[in-house]
Amino acid sequence: MKTASRREHDLLGEREVPVDAYWGIHSLRAMENFPITGTPISVYPQLIDALAAVKEAAALANEELGLLTPEKAAAIVAACREIRAGHLHDQFVVDVIQGGAGTSTNMNANEVVANRALELLGHAKGEYRHLHPNEDVNLSQSTNDVYPTAVRIAAITAVHGLLQATAVLQDAFAAKAVEFRDVLKMGRTQLQDAVPMTLGQEFSTYAVMLDEDRNRLSEAVELIHEINLGATAIGTGLNAPAAYAETARRHLAEITGMPLVTSVNLVEATQDCGAFVQLSGVLKRLAVKLSKTCNDLRLLSSGPRAGLNEINLPAVQAGSSIMPGKVNPVIPEVVNQVAFEVIGNDITITMAAEGGQLQLNAFEPVILHSLAKSITSLRAACLTLAERCVAGITANTKELRATVENSIGLATALNPHIGYTAATAIAQEALRTGRGVAELTLEKGLLPAARIAELLTPERLTGSANH
């Protein structure tokens, strides 16, 4: 059975569009031209909401400046508010990666908004003589200022979600630091015994690292608040009235609740992707440190008989289809893989920003796609690690203390009191014979028992006596 359709035309000719579709001929051609990822832009709802916010702000600005009739403006605004409420997202159908610097995304938005506005005015979809995607919805705009502005708004929204998720993970590590504050263990450098510490100190570092990254992320997202709306094609503002940029910015700030500012040089802002590179770099920093943390968790929990076996990660699923009883550190492993992806995305964003020429960067679609994947995956990874791993970690306290008591690393604590040469000899003999450092020091008469006990108290060994 033939699907009912309507005819639309563009500069290349006419095409049949499904009669119920809110998208139109430009979106149709984009779907045909860019069968790249199979992922439509609707997978990123923050982007769709941001596009609708930009179109709403533009309509209000155009009405205020006398360029758009109140009737048309009201219909466009109403359509945009429906979209921002979650409606019609399935009509944003073009692929996330596309040629044309985001033109297909902008036209998809123009068509959906126009066709819904037409319905609200009592007309059928496609009756563009009453309200047109380009002449009305896209009035005073260009893809080159709409798309970058929408990407920035979407990124700000997504980063706020990531900041909340990192706070949850930070709190989880901080809680474990308190729980394990009296658990003595050996610290290691280069995977060799170093000096004693507490498991609480070890876990506190993970919380501190996350706090540092959250601060850097907050700083990076501030740069994204600078927009180029009103720049139109290349930053000169052609086809937009002089007051449009500030009027549209004011409405957009009110709609989004964000302290958006217009770039002082719109020509520069239209071609420069430096803020995206900066944000991506911070995301990579967070990913690298999360991955390092997960490497530690996997190593500390290795075993249970042939590894370090210092901590226990919660068992969340069977680990092997062939080895009975095996449980793997699957949560840290999945976070590691997210980190690898984020690092790769950073390379993509770097190359896309570098690859722009002259007055426009045509590669912002892949910047959007890569940023969105990084932020979305990192947010999910932080919450998963906090809830399904860190919260359930337990310590093997007896094994940890025994490792400290048997470690030649204790010789370091005695070094200032018996000398480096004597301490080295004690360490070598302890390693060769399996005897304890304290025992050998007492036997050789290097220090009295009471002094040895004082020097090897957990408080002195871990530095907590100094705080």
Side-chain angles (χ1 to χ4, degrees):
M1 183 180 297
K2 184 178 180 180
T3 303
S5 63
R6 65 177 188 266
R7 294 189 68 80
E8 293 194 12
H9 69 274
D10 61 6
L11 65 87
L12 298 182
E14 291 191 347
R15 293 293 300 274
E16 297 287 332
V17 176
V19 70
D20 292 332
Y22 286 86
W23 45 266
I25 189 170
H26 295 279
S27 302
L28 174 64
R29 293 196 192 280
M31 285 189 284
E32 294 172 343
N33 289 333
F34 310 123
I36 306 301
T37 67
T39 302
I41 56 174
S42 59
V43 76
Y44 300 127
Q46 294 98 336
L47 176 64
I48 306 308
D49 292 345
L51 287 164
V54 172
K55 296 300 175 182
E56 180 179 341
L60 291 170
N62 285 321
E63 179 189 15
E64 184 174 327
L65 297 172
L67 302 177
L68 195 63
T69 66
E71 183 183 34
K72 286 184 176 181
I76 292 171
V77 167
C80 291
R81 290 178 179 173
E82 287 184 4
I83 293 168
R84 291 195 296 113
H87 302 291
L88 300 179
H89 280 215
D90 62 331
Q91 297 298 305
F92 290 80
V93 292
V94 300
D95 200 280
V96 290
I97 296 183
Q98 55 195 249
T103 297
S104 296
T105 293
N106 185 35
M107 284 305 304
N108 194 165
N110 288 335
E111 289 172 340
V112 174
V113 171
N115 281 309
R116 179 56 186 147
L118 282 169
E119 287 184 330
L120 294 171
L121 291 171
H123 304 291
K125 301 183 194 72
E127 293 186 347
Y128 297 140
R129 65 186 181 277
H130 300 292
L131 189 148
H132 197 277
N134 290 81
E135 295 177 6
D136 296 311
V137 180
N138 200 62
L139 183 62
S140 303
Q141 303 153 63
S142 164
T143 292
N144 304 345
D145 61 352
V146 168
Y147 189 80
T149 298
V151 171
R152 280 164 167 75
I153 292 170
I156 293 167
T157 303
V159 167
H160 287 164
L162 175 56
L163 285 168
Q164 293 170 0
T166 53
V168 170
L169 182 57
Q170 179 185 335
D171 289 345
F173 277 121
K176 287 296 169 181
V178 173
E179 180 183 341
F180 298 147
R181 64 183 178 275
D182 297 325
V183 179
L184 195 64
K185 63 159 287 176
M186 281 304 297
R188 297 179 180 83
T189 58
Q190 294 155 281
L191 295 181
Q192 307 300 305
D193 294 0
V195 296
M197 65 185 304
T198 68
L199 190 60
Q201 288 173 319
E202 192 160 39
F203 272 74
S204 72
T205 63
Y206 305 140
V208 171
M209 286 195 296
L210 278 164
D211 187 53
E212 291 177 348
D213 288 339
R214 293 184 72 248
N215 289 332
R216 301 296 81 76
L217 193 56
S218 295
E219 292 168 358
V221 81
E222 285 301 313
L223 299 178
I224 308 296
H225 286 76
E226 182 181 285
I227 62 173
N228 74 327
L229 193 61
T232 65
I234 64 170
T236 60
L238 183 66
N239 293 347
Y244 172 80
E246 172 53 26
T247 307
R249 183 213 60 79
R250 172 167 47 82
H251 284 294
L252 188 56
E254 292 172 356
I255 291 165
T256 62
M258 298 175 182
L260 303 171
V261 296
T262 301
S263 173
V264 296
N265 188 316
L266 293 177
V267 175
E268 180 274 336
T270 303
Q271 61 187 273
D272 182 23
C273 292
F276 295 137
V277 175
Q278 174 101 352
L279 177 58
S280 178
V282 176
L283 295 174
K284 181 180 74 171
R285 169 186 165 139
L286 172 60
V288 167
K289 292 164 75 174
L290 271 180
S291 191
K292 187 273 180 192
T293 298
C294 286
N295 292 341
D296 286 0
L297 295 179
R298 290 190 296 114
L299 189 59
L300 294 172
S301 65
S302 60
R305 299 290 174 84
L308 295 184
N309 193 33
E310 293 191 351
I311 62 174
N312 306 299
L313 306 185
V316 295
Q317 65 184 61
S320 175
S321 61
I322 189 174
M323 292 172 277
K326 190 169 187 289
V327 177
N328 294 326
V330 294
I331 302 302
E333 286 172 352
V334 77
V335 176
N336 282 130
Q337 292 173 79
V338 167
F340 306 156
E341 180 187 41
V342 172
I343 294 166
N345 289 340
D346 181 62
I347 295 295
T348 299
I349 291 166
T350 300
M351 296 306 298
E354 183 275 338
Q357 296 105 13
L358 304 178
Q359 280 68 60
L360 180 67
N361 189 305
F363 308 121
E364 286 193 23
V366 78
I367 291 178
L368 158 76
H369 186 41
S370 301
L371 273 178
K373 284 194 300 179
S374 291
I375 297 170
T376 302
S377 295
L378 279 172
R379 178 182 179 277
C382 286
L383 293 175
T384 300
L385 183 60
E387 296 164 4
R388 301 196 63 78
C389 182
V390 177
I393 291 176
T394 58
N396 293 324
T397 306
K398 291 181 179 179
E399 289 86 344
L400 288 166
R401 178 170 286 276
T403 301
V404 172
E405 293 172 352
N406 193 46
S407 174
I408 65 171
L410 291 179
T412 303
L414 302 179
N415 183 27
H417 307 280
I418 65 176
Y420 185 85
T421 301
T424 299
I426 291 290
Q428 289 176 325
E429 186 174 346
L431 182 61
R432 185 176 67 253
T433 64
R435 297 174 68 190
V437 167
E439 177 188 357
L440 290 170
T441 302
L442 181 63
E443 181 182 281
K444 296 181 184 299
L446 297 173
L447 287 172
R451 183 57 172 159
I452 294 173
E454 178 187 358
L455 293 173
L456 298 183
T457 60
E459 291 76 20
R460 291 183 69 95
L461 291 173
T462 62
S464 57
N466 301 322
H467 299 285

